[in-house]
């Protein structure tokens, strides 16, 4: 059960990051050039995210943590 919850959260976070990138109108390559982060792997939920990485991406997309996590279900 815990594994399913973790996977669900990871997929929700990945989808939210993809949504923010698309709203900003930038490609994964542009984000990589600007941040040195491989968001392709992050958006595919292949990598676990650190708080530092999430902070960089939230700053890049112009959202706070509160705005980022709004709507993400943990269960």
């Amino acid at each position: 059960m815990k594994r399913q919850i973790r996977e669900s959260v990871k997929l929700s976070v990945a989808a939210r990051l993809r949504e923010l990138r698309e709203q900003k109108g930038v490609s994964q390559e542009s984000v990589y050039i600007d941040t040195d982060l491989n968001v392709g792997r992050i958006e595919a939920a292949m990598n676990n995210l650190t708080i530092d990485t999430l902070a960089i991406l939230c700053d890049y997309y112009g959202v706070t943590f509160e705005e980022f996590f709004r709507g993400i279900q943990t269960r």
Side-chain angles (χ1 to χ4, degrees), residues 20-33:
L20 290 170
R21 180 180 55 76
E22 290 172 350
Q23 285 176 358
K24 187 169 174 130
V26 294
S27 67
Q28 290 178 348
E29 182 178 8
S30 293
V31 177
Y32 177 74
I33 290 167

Side-chain angles (χ1 to χ4, degrees), residues 33-50:
I33 290 167
D34 294 340
T35 65
D36 202 32
L37 296 172
N38 185 342
V39 292
R41 293 185 61 83
I42 295 169
E43 289 179 5
M46 296 172 71
N47 288 5
N48 283 324
L49 215 52
T50 65

